[in-house]
Structures are given as C-alpha cells and as structure tokens.
Amino acid sequence: MPNASTASTAKGRATQARIVEGAAQVLRERGIAFTTLDDVRARTSTSKSQLFHYFPGGKDELLLAVAEFEASRVLEDQQPHLDRLDSWESWYRWRDAVVERYELQNDQCPLGNLFLHIGRSEPGTRAIVVELMRQWQERIANGIRALRSRELIPASVDVDRSAAALLAGIQGGVSIMMSTGSSAHLRAALDTGIDQLRTATAHER
Amino acid sequence: MPNASTASTAKGRATQARIVEGAAQVLRERGIAFTTLDDVRARTSTSKSQLFHYFPGGKDELLLAVAEFEASRVLEDQQPHLDRLDSWESWYRWRDAVVERYELQNDQCPLGNLFLHIGRSEPGTRAIVVELMRQWQERIANGIRALRSRELIPASVDVDRSAAALLAGIQGGVSIMMSTGSSAHLRAALDTGIDQLRTATAHER
DNA sequence: CCAAAAATGGACCGGCAAGTCCAGCCCGAG
DNA sequence: CTCGGGCTGGACTTGCCGGTCCATTTTTGG
C-alpha cells in the first residue's frame, strides 16, 4: 500500500522517480542528519514546489518513499543467488554477493539510517523494515529447506531458527562494518552460519 | 582519553554528571532527532549556560560524552557473566542476561543511534564504538578459550572467528529487535552460536 | 570574612531549513 | 488553435534551536 503516485502524467512520474532516486543518493553520501531538502532539490534539478507537489507530506513522506526504494533494492541485489540456495556452492556464491554488496556501499546501511532517523514518528517505516526482514528470512529458510530436501543436511535442523540466526548475523555484520569499516564480522557470521549447516550433515560434502 | 572533566569543584562535577545521565535518558526516550538542548536543560534542571560551560563544544561534545557513558554501560551490564564463561551453564546465564538487558530497554540501542547520528562528523564516536566491539569480542573469545582449556570443545575451533560471529549475531539480533520488537532473532543468534560450540565437541554434555 | 574563581540563570541573537504561495510554463485533448 | 490542468520556478515566511552573553549567586582558599 505504498503511495499511489501523486503524479498523473508520464513526465510527472518521471520527475517523482528522479526525486526519490536522487534523494537516496544524497542521503547515502551526506547522511540523513546533514541532508536538507535543498540538497535534494539541487541534486535532482527540481524546485521546492515540486518536492511538495509530489510529496505533500513534506520531508517525512519523501524519506518514507526513499525507505521503500532502498528496501526494494536490498533483496534485488542478492538475486538470483538468494532464490537458488540449493547447493553448497550456491550458498558460498550468495555469501560472496552479500559481502561484496555491503563492501561496495562504503560503510552504511541506508535503510538502517532511515529507520533510526524517522524512528517511531513514521509508523510506516517500521512496517517496511519488518516486511523486508520477513521476506529475507523466508528466502534463507527456503534455501535451508532445499538443502534438506536434497539430503545435504539432516531433517533435524531447525530451519527457522537457523535462518533467523543467519539473518541476525548478517545484520550485525553490516552494522559492525559501519563502525569499523571491516567486513570481517560479516564474513565470520556468514561462514560460521553456513559451516554450522554443513557440520550438521552426516555425510561429508 | 575521555574529556578531562571541565568542572573543578565537586558540585561542578556532580552537575556535569547529572547532565550526561539526564541527556542519556532523554535521548533514549525521544530519540536523538527529536531531542533539543532545551529538553536536556529541562530534564536536568540546568540552564543553557551550564550546558555550554561543561561542554564548550556544544551539542556534539555532549553527545560524545553520552556515547561514552552508554558504551561503558554495555559491558558493565553483562558482568559478571561475561568474564566467567567457563561452563555451559555460565554461557546460558550470559545469554539470558544479554536477552534480558535488551528486552528491558524497550527497543533501542542508544549507542547505535548516537553513532549513526553523529556519524562521521565526530571521529571520536567511531573510536568509542570500535573499542567497545574490540573489548566485547575479546571477552567472548576468552570465554571460548576457557571452554577449550577445560576440554569442553576441541582445540580445532577457530576462536576468533567464532567470537566475531557471535558478536555479529548479537548486534544483528538487537538491531532486528529494534524494528520488530521481538527478541526472537537475538535469542536464535545466541542459541545457535552456543550450539555450534557445543556440537563441535566430541563428547556430549 | 573577603576576594577571586567557579557555577548558575535566563534573556537574547542569528541562521538555517521546512514549508507556503503564486505566477508562469508546458502539453495534450478537443 | 486554444484552453485547462498539471508541472515548474523560486522568492518569501516562519519557527525552531544551537549558541552567546552578562548579571548574579555560590563556593573556595587563605
């Protein structure tokens, strides 16, 4: 139930999209606390009136739109790996994709920033994050089930708990990376998580 | 090398401490983005001039002091569990302490918020967080070594990687808890982390 | 008890950034 | 062509909040 676009023409919709993407860029670079609507205006070659025309709710509504935008990118960036976790090789490819993704975007989790900043003022943000986590975990769980159905791991593995732990490890690895600049923890979390699945198996490899 | 206190009398130091603690309170309640110096002033029964007297650097310096304050609490709250991780029972007690601690402080990681908000503007914040993470991980690693020296786990366990993964799981569990309000992920991360150590052992229990 | 230094109260300033407003422009429908 | 609705530009207003300043009170050292 995201914003039914405020624009009614193709040109309008293009402008609106440009604003969201540009805002996302600026927010990544400067950080939310230091980003003003004027920065967004400059970056997107728009005017104040356009910002408020397409986002009548002002800054909050714009930030919410950016949050949706960023959330949608998270899982997209892990495709197609995330939906094909059916062999050990595919799991490691996914791990590499995740690590690389977060190493590239310097040292930030735009969505996390947004969430913290808007916080409880905008209930919508929370819903976006919750839904993202749910989907992410679900896909990981599906991957574990795929391993199980191929008998690479025993049926006794607690799928949901393992998926939850793996997801937590990723989140924590990313947030530690934000402060230390090192992806070591993210890597460690992913590697031990996968290792745990592997050693739960009876037959090696 | 934290601020050599700006106060030179006992009364002054008391006021300064009151400001930091009061500020920490307000920040936890309202969130940084919505907290003004006036809120802090009101909460701590001080005047504007006092705030700037004790924190000449203004808001940034105050926030930095609060960050130090919060960081020091993190490990304190896990004592004495964190320094006595030498039996499986003690690990589970620690787990319970961690979960309880974060369940109590409603749904926030004050330090995380601070870090994100001050971000790269104040290099000091990063150092505080990095140091906290280092110490935290070191203590976990010590706990794992204790298990190993008691031969509860085999020598083949990669201590640092396991500690890093566990720490990442905690951080992620907490941050997921902030959005969802549920401690399930934190619990899952801790449980699977400990399980992994246990199943690495040759002899059961 | 008396300076001098520290601590305190609170009025005031100034800038910045969110949000408003309206005039003019583009563009497609008829 | 032309009319109308949406799109665009940007000047302007407004309130908030960080930071300054100085007068006053309290404490301390001798």
Coordinates of all heavy atoms in Angstrom, one line a residue, chain C residues 1-29:
Chain C
dC1 P 32.0 37.8 60.3 OP1 31.9 39.0 61.1 OP2 31.1 36.8 60.0 O5' 33.0 38.1 59.0 C5' 34.1 38.9 59.3 C4' 35.0 39.0 58.1 O4' 35.6 37.7 57.8 C3' 34.2 39.4 56.8 O3' 35.1 40.2 56.1 C2' 34.0 38.0 56.1 C1' 35.3 37.4 56.4 N1 35.3 35.9 56.3 C2 36.5 35.2 55.7 O2 37.4 35.9 55.3 N3 36.5 33.9 55.6 C4 35.4 33.2 56.0 N4 35.5 31.8 55.9 C5 34.3 33.8 56.6 C6 34.3 35.1 56.7
dC2 P 34.5 41.4 55.3 OP1 34.6 42.6 56.1 OP2 33.1 41.0 54.8 O5' 35.5 41.5 54.1 C5' 36.9 41.2 54.4 C4' 37.5 40.6 53.1 O4' 37.4 39.1 53.2 C3' 36.9 40.9 51.8 O3' 37.9 41.1 50.8 C2' 36.0 39.8 51.5 C1' 36.9 38.6 52.0 N1 36.2 37.3 52.2 C2 36.9 36.1 51.9 O2 38.0 36.2 51.5 N3 36.3 34.9 52.2 C4 35.1 34.9 52.7 N4 34.5 33.7 52.9 C5 34.3 36.1 53.0 C6 34.9 37.3 52.8
dA3 P 38.1 42.4 50.0 OP1 39.5 42.6 49.8 OP2 37.2 43.5 50.5 O5' 37.4 41.9 48.7 C5' 38.1 41.9 47.5 C4' 39.0 40.7 47.3 O4' 38.6 39.6 48.1 C3' 39.0 40.2 45.9 O3' 40.3 39.9 45.5 C2' 38.1 39.0 45.9 C1' 38.3 38.4 47.3 N9 37.1 37.8 47.9 C8 36.0 38.4 48.3 N7 35.0 37.6 48.7 C5 35.6 36.3 48.6 C6 35.2 35.0 48.9 N6 34.0 34.8 49.5 N1 36.0 34.0 48.7 C2 37.2 34.3 48.2 N3 37.8 35.5 47.9 C4 36.9 36.4 48.1
dA4 P 40.8 40.1 44.0 OP1 42.2 40.5 44.0 OP2 39.8 41.0 43.4 O5' 40.7 38.7 43.4 C5' 41.3 37.6 44.1 C4' 40.8 36.3 43.6 O4' 39.6 35.9 44.3 C3' 40.4 36.3 42.1 O3' 40.8 35.1 41.5 C2' 38.9 36.4 42.1 C1' 38.6 35.6 43.4 N9 37.3 35.8 44.0 C8 36.6 37.0 44.1 N7 35.4 36.9 44.7 C5 35.3 35.6 45.0 C6 34.3 34.9 45.7 N6 33.2 35.4 46.2 N1 34.5 33.6 45.9 C2 35.7 33.0 45.4 N3 36.7 33.6 44.7 C4 36.4 34.9 44.6
dA5 P 40.9 34.9 40.0 OP1 42.3 34.9 39.5 OP2 39.9 35.8 39.3 O5' 40.3 33.4 39.8 C5' 40.5 32.5 40.9 C4' 39.3 31.5 40.9 O4' 38.2 32.1 41.6 C3' 38.8 31.1 39.5 O3' 38.7 29.7 39.5 C2' 37.5 31.8 39.4 C1' 37.0 31.8 40.9 N9 36.0 32.9 41.2 C8 36.1 34.2 40.8 N7 35.0 34.9 41.3 C5 34.3 33.9 42.0 C6 33.1 34.0 42.7 N6 32.4 35.1 42.9 N1 32.6 32.9 43.3 C2 33.3 31.8 43.2 N3 34.5 31.6 42.6 C4 34.9 32.7 42.0
dA6 P 38.4 28.9 38.2 OP1 39.5 27.9 38.0 OP2 38.2 29.9 37.1 O5' 37.0 28.2 38.5 C5' 36.9 27.6 39.7 C4' 35.4 27.5 40.0 O4' 34.8 28.8 40.3 C3' 34.6 26.9 38.8 O3' 33.9 25.7 39.3 C2' 33.6 28.0 38.5 C1' 33.5 28.8 39.8 N9 33.2 30.2 39.6 C8 33.9 31.2 38.9 N7 33.3 32.4 38.9 C5 32.2 32.2 39.7 C6 31.2 33.1 40.1 N6 31.2 34.4 39.8 N1 30.2 32.6 40.9 C2 30.2 31.3 41.2 N3 31.1 30.4 40.9 C4 32.1 30.9 40.1
dA7 P 33.0 24.9 38.3 OP1 32.9 23.5 38.8 OP2 33.3 25.3 36.9 O5' 31.6 25.6 38.7 C5' 31.1 25.5 40.0 C4' 29.7 26.1 40.1 O4' 29.8 27.5 39.8 C3' 28.7 25.6 39.0 O3' 27.5 25.3 39.8 C2' 28.5 26.7 38.1 C1' 28.7 27.9 39.0 N9 29.2 29.2 38.3 C8 30.3 29.3 37.5 N7 30.4 30.6 37.1 C5 29.4 31.3 37.7 C6 29.0 32.6 37.6 N6 29.7 33.5 36.9 N1 27.9 33.0 38.3 C2 27.3 32.0 39.0 N3 27.5 30.7 39.1 C4 28.6 30.4 38.4
dT8 P 26.3 24.5 39.0 OP1 25.6 23.7 40.1 OP2 26.8 23.9 37.8 O5' 25.3 25.8 38.7 C5' 24.8 26.6 39.7 C4' 24.1 27.8 39.2 O4' 24.9 28.7 38.6 C3' 23.0 27.4 38.1 O3' 21.8 27.7 38.7 C2' 23.3 28.3 37.0 C1' 24.2 29.4 37.6 N1 25.2 30.1 36.7 C2 25.0 31.5 36.6 O2 24.1 32.1 37.1 N3 26.0 32.0 35.7 C4 27.0 31.4 35.1 O4 27.8 32.0 34.4 C5 27.1 30.0 35.3 C7 28.2 29.2 34.7 C6 26.2 29.4 36.1
dG9 P 20.4 27.2 38.1 OP1 19.6 26.8 39.2 OP2 20.7 26.3 37.0 O5' 19.8 28.6 37.5 C5' 19.8 29.8 38.3 C4' 19.3 30.9 37.5 O4' 20.4 31.6 36.8 C3' 18.2 30.6 36.4 O3' 17.1 31.4 36.6 C2' 19.0 30.8 35.1 C1' 20.0 31.8 35.4 N9 21.3 31.6 34.7 C8 22.0 30.5 34.5 N7 23.1 30.6 33.8 C5 23.1 32.0 33.5 C6 24.1 32.7 32.8 O6 25.1 32.4 32.3 N1 23.7 34.1 32.8 C2 22.6 34.6 33.4 N2 22.4 36.0 33.2 N3 21.7 33.9 34.0 C4 22.0 32.6 34.1
dG10 P 15.7 31.2 35.8 OP1 14.7 31.7 36.7 OP2 15.7 29.8 35.4 O5' 15.9 32.1 34.6 C5' 16.3 33.4 34.7 C4' 16.7 34.0 33.3 O4' 18.0 33.6 32.9 C3' 15.7 33.5 32.2 O3' 15.5 34.6 31.3 C2' 16.6 32.5 31.5 C1' 17.9 33.2 31.6 N9 19.1 32.4 31.3 C8 19.3 31.1 31.4 N7 20.5 30.6 31.0 C5 21.1 31.8 30.5 C6 22.4 32.0 30.0 O6 23.2 31.1 29.8 N1 22.6 33.3 29.7 C2 21.7 34.3 29.9 N2 22.1 35.5 29.5 N3 20.5 34.2 30.4 C4 20.3 32.9 30.7
dA11 P 14.0 34.9 30.9 OP1 13.2 35.2 32.0 OP2 13.7 33.9 29.9 O5' 14.3 36.3 30.1 C5' 15.0 37.3 30.7 C4' 16.0 37.9 29.7 O4' 17.1 37.0 29.4 C3' 15.4 38.2 28.3 O3' 15.8 39.5 27.8 C2' 15.9 37.1 27.4 C1' 17.3 36.8 28.1 N9 17.8 35.4 27.9 C8 17.1 34.3 28.3 N7 17.8 33.2 28.0 C5 19.0 33.7 27.4 C6 20.1 33.0 26.9 N6 20.3 31.7 27.0 N1 21.1 33.8 26.4 C2 20.9 35.1 26.3 N3 19.9 35.8 26.8 C4 19.0 35.1 27.3
dC12 P 15.2 40.1 26.5 OP1 15.3 41.6 26.7 OP2 13.9 39.5 26.2 O5' 16.2 39.7 25.4 C5' 17.6 40.1 25.5 C4' 18.4 39.4 24.4 O4' 18.5 38.0 24.7 C3' 17.8 39.5 23.0 O3' 18.6 40.4 22.3 C2' 17.8 38.0 22.5 C1' 18.7 37.3 23.5 N1 18.4 35.9 23.7 C2 19.3 34.9 23.4 O2 20.4 35.3 22.8 N3 19.0 33.6 23.6 C4 17.9 33.3 24.1 N4 17.6 32.0 24.3 C5 16.9 34.2 24.5 C6 17.2 35.5 24.3
dC13 P 18.1 40.8 20.8 OP1 18.5 42.2 20.6 OP2 16.8 40.3 20.5 O5' 19.1 39.9 19.9 C5' 20.5 39.8 20.3 C4' 21.2 38.7 19.5 O4' 20.8 37.4 19.9 C3' 20.8 38.9 18.0 O3' 22.0 39.0 17.3 C2' 20.0 37.6 17.7 C1' 20.5 36.6 18.8 N1 19.6 35.6 19.2 C2 19.9 34.2 19.1 O2 21.0 33.9 18.6 N3 19.1 33.3 19.6 C4 17.9 33.6 20.1 N4 17.1 32.7 20.6 C5 17.5 35.0 20.3 C6 18.4 35.9 19.8
dG14 P 22.1 39.5 15.8 OP1 23.3 40.3 15.6 OP2 20.7 40.1 15.5 O5' 22.2 38.1 15.0 C5' 23.2 37.2 15.4 C4' 23.0 35.9 14.6 O4' 22.0 35.1 15.2 C3' 22.6 36.2 13.2 O3' 23.4 35.4 12.3 C2' 21.1 35.9 13.1 C1' 21.1 34.8 14.2 N9 19.8 34.7 14.9 C8 18.9 35.7 15.2 N7 17.9 35.3 15.9 C5 18.1 33.9 16.0 C6 17.3 32.9 16.7 O6 16.2 33.1 17.3 N1 17.8 31.7 16.6 C2 19.0 31.4 15.9 N2 19.4 30.1 15.9 N3 19.8 32.3 15.3 C4 19.2 33.5 15.4
dG15 P 23.4 35.6 10.8 OP1 24.7 36.2 10.3 OP2 22.2 36.3 10.3 O5' 23.4 34.1 10.3 C5' 23.9 33.1 11.2 C4' 23.2 31.8 11.0 O4' 22.0 31.7 11.8 C3' 22.8 31.5 9.5 O3' 23.1 30.2 9.3 C2' 21.3 31.9 9.5 C1' 20.9 31.4 10.9 N9 19.7 32.0 11.4 C8 19.4 33.3 11.3 N7 18.2 33.6 11.9 C5 17.8 32.4 12.4 C6 16.6 32.1 13.1 O6 15.7 32.9 13.5 N1 16.6 30.8 13.4 C2 17.5 29.8 13.1 N2 17.3 28.6 13.5 N3 18.6 30.1 12.4 C4 18.7 31.4 12.1
dC16 P 23.3 29.7 7.8 OP1 24.7 29.8 7.4 OP2 22.3 30.3 7.0 O5' 22.9 28.1 8.0 C5' 22.6 27.6 9.2 C4' 21.2 26.9 9.2 O4' 20.2 27.9 9.6 C3' 20.8 26.5 7.8 O3' 20.3 25.1 7.9 C2' 19.7 27.4 7.4 C1' 19.1 27.7 8.8 N1 18.2 28.9 8.9 C2 17.0 28.9 9.5 O2 16.7 27.8 10.1 N3 16.3 30.0 9.7 C4 16.7 31.1 9.1 N4 15.9 32.2 9.3 C5 17.9 31.2 8.4 C6 18.7 30.1 8.3
dA17 P 20.6 24.1 6.7 OP1 21.7 23.2 7.1 OP2 20.7 24.9 5.4 O5' 19.3 23.3 6.7 C5' 18.6 23.0 7.9 C4' 17.2 23.1 7.7 O4' 16.7 24.5 7.8 C3' 16.7 22.7 6.3 O3' 15.5 22.0 6.5 C2' 16.4 24.0 5.6 C1' 15.8 24.8 6.8 N9 15.8 26.2 6.5 C8 16.7 27.0 5.8 N7 16.4 28.3 5.8 C5 15.2 28.4 6.5 C6 14.4 29.5 6.9 N6 14.7 30.7 6.5 N1 13.3 29.2 7.6 C2 13.1 27.9 8.0 N3 13.8 26.8 7.7 C4 14.9 27.1 7.0
dA18 P 15.0 20.9 5.4 OP1 15.6 19.6 5.8 OP2 15.1 21.5 4.1 O5' 13.4 20.9 5.8 C5' 13.1 20.8 7.2 C4' 11.7 21.4 7.4 O4' 11.8 22.9 7.3 C3' 10.6 21.0 6.5 O3' 9.4 20.8 7.2 C2' 10.6 22.1 5.4 C1' 10.9 23.3 6.3 N9 11.6 24.4 5.6 C8 12.7 24.3 4.8 N7 13.1 25.5 4.3 C5 12.2 26.4 4.8 C6 12.1 27.8 4.6 N6 12.9 28.5 3.9 N1 11.0 28.4 5.2 C2 10.2 27.6 6.0 N3 10.2 26.3 6.2 C4 11.3 25.7 5.6
dG19 P 8.3 20.0 6.5 OP1 7.5 19.4 7.6 OP2 8.8 19.1 5.4 O5' 7.3 21.1 5.9 C5' 6.9 22.1 6.8 C4' 6.4 23.3 6.0 O4' 7.5 24.0 5.5 C3' 5.4 23.0 4.9 O3' 4.2 23.8 5.1 C2' 6.2 23.6 3.7 C1' 7.1 24.7 4.3 N9 8.2 25.1 3.5 C8 9.2 24.3 3.0 N7 10.1 25.0 2.4 C5 9.7 26.3 2.4 C6 10.2 27.5 1.9 O6 11.2 27.6 1.2 N1 9.4 28.6 2.1 C2 8.2 28.6 2.9 N2 7.6 29.7 3.0 N3 7.7 27.5 3.4 C4 8.5 26.4 3.1
dT20 P 3.0 23.8 4.1 OP1 1.8 23.7 4.9 OP2 3.3 22.9 3.0 O5' 3.1 25.3 3.5 C5' 3.1 26.4 4.4 C4' 3.0 27.7 3.7 O4' 4.2 28.0 2.9 C3' 1.8 27.7 2.6 O3' 1.1 28.9 2.7 C2' 2.6 27.6 1.3 C1' 3.9 28.3 1.6 N1 5.1 27.9 0.8 C2 5.8 28.8 0.1 O2 5.6 30.0 0.1 N3 6.9 28.3 -0.6 C4 7.3 27.0 -0.6 O4 8.3 26.7 -1.3 C5 6.5 26.0 0.1 C7 6.8 24.6 0.0 C6 5.4 26.5 0.7
dC21 P -0.3 29.1 2.0 OP1 -1.2 29.8 2.9 OP2 -0.7 27.8 1.3 O5' 0.1 30.1 0.8 C5' 1.3 30.8 0.9 C4' 1.5 31.6 -0.4 O4' 2.7 31.1 -1.0 C3' 0.4 31.5 -1.4 O3' 0.2 32.8 -2.0 C2' 0.9 30.6 -2.5 C1' 2.4 30.8 -2.4 N1 3.2 29.5 -2.7 C2 4.4 29.6 -3.3 O2 4.8 30.8 -3.7 N3 5.1 28.5 -3.6 C4 4.7 27.3 -3.2 N4 5.4 26.2 -3.4 C5 3.4 27.2 -2.5 C6 2.7 28.3 -2.3
dC22 P -1.3 33.2 -2.6 OP1 -1.7 34.4 -1.9 OP2 -2.1 32.0 -2.7 O5' -0.8 33.7 -4.1 C5' 0.3 34.5 -4.2 C4' 1.0 34.3 -5.5 O4' 1.8 33.1 -5.5 C3' 0.1 34.1 -6.7 O3' 0.6 34.8 -7.8 C2' 0.1 32.6 -7.0 C1' 1.6 32.4 -6.7 N1 2.0 30.9 -6.6 C2 3.3 30.6 -7.0 O2 4.0 31.4 -7.6 N3 3.7 29.3 -6.9 C4 2.9 28.4 -6.3 N4 3.3 27.1 -6.2 C5 1.6 28.8 -5.8 C6 1.2 30.0 -6.0
dA23 P -0.3 35.8 -8.7 OP1 -0.7 36.9 -7.9 OP2 -1.2 34.9 -9.5 O5' 0.8 36.3 -9.8 C5' 2.2 36.4 -9.4 C4' 3.1 35.7 -10.4 O4' 3.2 34.3 -10.1 C3' 2.5 35.7 -11.9 O3' 3.5 36.0 -12.8 C2' 2.0 34.2 -12.0 C1' 3.0 33.5 -11.2 N9 2.5 32.2 -10.8 C8 1.3 31.8 -10.2 N7 1.1 30.6 -9.9 C5 2.3 30.0 -10.3 C6 2.8 28.7 -10.2 N6 2.1 27.6 -9.7 N1 4.1 28.4 -10.7 C2 4.8 29.5 -11.2 N3 4.4 30.8 -11.3 C4 3.2 31.0 -10.8
dG24 P 3.2 36.3 -14.3 OP1 4.1 37.4 -14.7 OP2 1.8 36.3 -14.5 O5' 3.8 35.0 -15.0 C5' 5.2 34.8 -15.0 C4' 5.5 33.4 -15.5 O4' 4.8 32.5 -14.6 C3' 5.1 33.1 -16.9 O3' 6.2 32.4 -17.5 C2' 3.9 32.2 -16.7 C1' 4.3 31.5 -15.5 N9 3.1 30.8 -14.8 C8 2.0 31.4 -14.3 N7 1.2 30.5 -13.8 C5 1.8 29.3 -13.8 C6 1.5 28.1 -13.3 O6 0.4 27.7 -12.8 N1 2.5 27.1 -13.6 C2 3.7 27.4 -14.2 N2 4.5 26.3 -14.4 N3 4.0 28.6 -14.7 C4 3.1 29.5 -14.4
dC25 P 6.2 32.3 -19.1 OP1 7.4 33.0 -19.6 OP2 4.9 32.7 -19.7 O5' 6.4 30.8 -19.3 C5' 7.3 30.1 -18.4 C4' 7.0 28.6 -18.5 O4' 5.8 28.2 -17.7 C3' 6.7 28.1 -19.9 O3' 7.6 27.0 -20.2 C2' 5.3 27.8 -19.9 C1' 5.0 27.4 -18.5 N1 3.6 27.5 -18.0 C2 3.0 26.4 -17.5 O2 3.5 25.3 -17.4 N3 1.7 26.6 -17.0 C4 1.1 27.8 -17.1 N4 -0.2 27.9 -16.6 C5 1.8 28.9 -17.7 C6 3.0 28.8 -18.1
dC26 P 7.8 26.7 -21.8 OP1 9.2 26.5 -22.0 OP2 6.9 27.5 -22.7 O5' 7.2 25.2 -21.8 C5' 7.6 24.3 -20.8 C4' 6.6 23.1 -20.7 O4' 5.4 23.6 -20.2 C3' 6.3 22.5 -22.1 O3' 6.4 21.1 -21.9 C2' 4.9 23.0 -22.4 C1' 4.3 23.0 -21.0 N1 3.2 24.0 -20.8 C2 2.0 23.5 -20.2 O2 1.9 22.3 -19.8 N3 0.9 24.4 -20.0 C4 1.1 25.6 -20.4 N4 0.0 26.4 -20.2 C5 2.2 26.1 -21.0 C6 3.3 25.3 -21.2
dC27 P 6.6 20.2 -23.2 OP1 7.9 19.4 -23.0 OP2 6.4 21.0 -24.4 O5' 5.4 19.2 -23.1 C5' 4.6 19.2 -21.9 C4' 3.2 18.6 -22.2 O4' 2.2 19.7 -22.0 C3' 3.0 18.2 -23.7 O3' 2.2 17.1 -23.7 C2' 2.4 19.4 -24.3 C1' 1.5 19.8 -23.2 N1 1.0 21.2 -23.3 C2 -0.2 21.6 -22.7 O2 -0.9 20.7 -22.1 N3 -0.6 22.9 -22.7 C4 0.1 23.8 -23.4 N4 -0.3 25.1 -23.4 C5 1.4 23.5 -24.0 C6 1.8 22.2 -23.9
dG28 P 2.2 16.0 -24.9 OP1 3.4 15.2 -24.8 OP2 1.8 16.8 -26.1 O5' 1.0 15.1 -24.6 C5' 0.4 15.1 -23.3 C4' -1.1 15.4 -23.3 O4' -1.3 16.8 -23.5 C3' -1.8 14.8 -24.5 O3' -3.1 14.3 -24.1 C2' -2.0 15.9 -25.5 C1' -2.2 17.1 -24.5 N9 -1.9 18.4 -25.0 C8 -0.8 18.8 -25.8 N7 -0.8 20.0 -26.1 C5 -2.0 20.6 -25.5 C6 -2.5 21.9 -25.4 O6 -2.0 22.9 -25.9 N1 -3.6 22.0 -24.7 C2 -4.3 20.9 -24.1 N2 -5.4 21.1 -23.4 N3 -3.8 19.6 -24.1 C4 -2.6 19.6 -24.8
dA29 P -3.9 13.3 -25.0 OP1 -3.9 12.0 -24.3 OP2 -3.5 13.4 -26.4 O5' -5.4 13.9 -24.8 C5' -5.8 14.5 -23.6 C4' -7.0 15.4 -23.8 O4' -6.6 16.6 -24.3 C3' -8.0 14.8 -24.8 O3' -9.3 15.2 -24.4 C2' -7.6 15.5 -26.1 C1' -7.2 16.9 -25.6 N9 -6.2 17.6 -26.4 C8 -5.1 17.0 -27.1 N7 -4.4 17.9 -27.7 C5 -5.0 19.1 -27.4 C6 -4.7 20.4 -27.8 N6 -3.7 20.8 -28.6 N1 -5.6 21.4 -27.4 C2 -6.6 21.1 -26.6 N3 -7.0 19.9 -26.1 C4 -6.1 18.9 -26.6

